[in-house]
Amino acid sequence: MSKDKASKLARRKAHCMACCVALGVLVILGALALAFYLVYRPRPPRVVATPVDISVDEFSLLPHPTLKVSVGVHVVVSNPSHSPYRYGPTLSAVTYHGAPVGETLVPAGEVGGKATARIEPATVVDGVKVAENPHFASDAVAGVLPFVAVARVVGKALVLRAFEVPVTVETVCFVRMYVFHGESSSRCVSTVRTGAAAASASRSGNGNGYGYGYGYGAGFPAEAAGRAQEHD
């Protein structure tokens, strides 16, 4: 009987030891997973600047309205995450009194982890469409032409090189061009959409080739998701 009790006691101690070891392993794995999450968790990119380059190459009212302008919306994006933010080509609109008169093409690219990159879309404005707009004559006499240029960056943030989180950065610039002085002013508002909101915005934007929706969304576990940032 004493041998049986000793054997049972030994097995019980072995079981307790195995449970303690397993619990210790789980605690260590949990701590490692938490550390990886804290270090590599996705954070939404931030738009730190939106410089706008505008030039009036040709302007006249007589003998017939003529306009040739160049508009460039540049987006400086800061990526606070350790993982890269990759984005594909996106086409957006340049509008004049709500009518499309040009296009902004963001080429595919990448913003590395803990890096800041300047995204330079290619923008084309059709001066003929602007001159044919019924508002052009009165605006030209006043000397101010109002444009709205949109630059959309649609991509995904990579988490541990395995998981992807949709991210859409949209910059809307309200531009006033003073044709007689060759000067301009602009005010830009940038919005970051993430998660399901970014995926929905991407689908709606790709449906017609342009991104006209300016709603706000959420998705990242960070308070900056869906927040608008204004730049002059």
Side-chain angles (χ1 to χ4, degrees):
M1 295 294 294
S2 60
K3 290 184 178 181
D4 292 339
K5 289 182 179 180
S7 177
K8 290 180 179 179
L9 183 60
R11 287 197 298 270
R12 187 175 301 172
K13 288 182 177 180
H15 289 161
C16 290
M17 183 64 69
C19 290
C20 291
V21 171
L23 180 61
V25 171
L26 290 177
V27 170
I28 293 174
L29 291 177
L32 290 175
L34 179 61
F36 270 104
Y37 172 77
L38 292 177
V39 173
Y40 293 100
R41 73 184 186 277
R43 298 180 179 91
R46 295 186 303 108
V47 178
V48 297
T50 53
V52 179
D53 298 328
I54 302 173
S55 64
V56 180
D57 303 319
E58 184 180 354
F59 170 72
S60 65
L61 291 175
L62 299 174
H64 54 81
T66 303
L67 177 68
K68 185 178 181 181
V69 300
S70 300
V71 180
V73 178
H74 310 293
V75 184
V76 181
V77 177
S78 175
N79 181 15
S81 297
H82 285 79
S83 303
Y85 170 51
R86 296 173 181 170
Y87 52 90
T90 308
L91 193 65
S92 303
V94 178
T95 60
Y96 174 69
H97 286 284
V101 294
E103 296 177 339
T104 297
L105 175 62
V106 175
E110 175 180 317
V111 181
K114 293 293 183 179
T116 300
R118 179 185 174 105
I119 301 174
E120 298 186 351
T123 303
V124 177
V125 176
D126 189 340
V128 175
K129 288 185 178 181
V130 177
E132 291 177 348
N133 190 286
H135 297 278
F136 178 74
S138 58
D139 288 343
V141 171
V144 182
L145 302 180
F147 293 91
V148 177
V150 180
R152 300 177 71 247
V153 184
V154 180
K156 295 180 179 180
L158 302 181
V159 183
L160 297 178
R161 302 285 178 173
F163 305 101
E164 296 179 338
V165 178
V167 180
T168 297
V169 178
E170 182 177 79
T171 299
V172 182
C173 291
F174 304 90
V175 180
R176 295 174 65 85
M177 187 177 301
Y178 305 98
V179 291
F180 294 125
H181 303 284
E183 299 176 351
S184 65
S185 64
S186 62
R187 179 176 62 89
C188 298
V189 178
S190 300
T191 305
V192 178
R193 300 185 185 90
T194 57
S200 176
S202 175
R203 287 192 296 269
S204 63
N206 292 336
N208 55 13
Y210 300 112
Y212 291 106
Y214 304 123
Y216 304 104
F220 267 99
E223 63 276 7
R227 185 177 62 193
Q229 301 169 319
E230 186 170 326
H231 308 273
D232 291 327

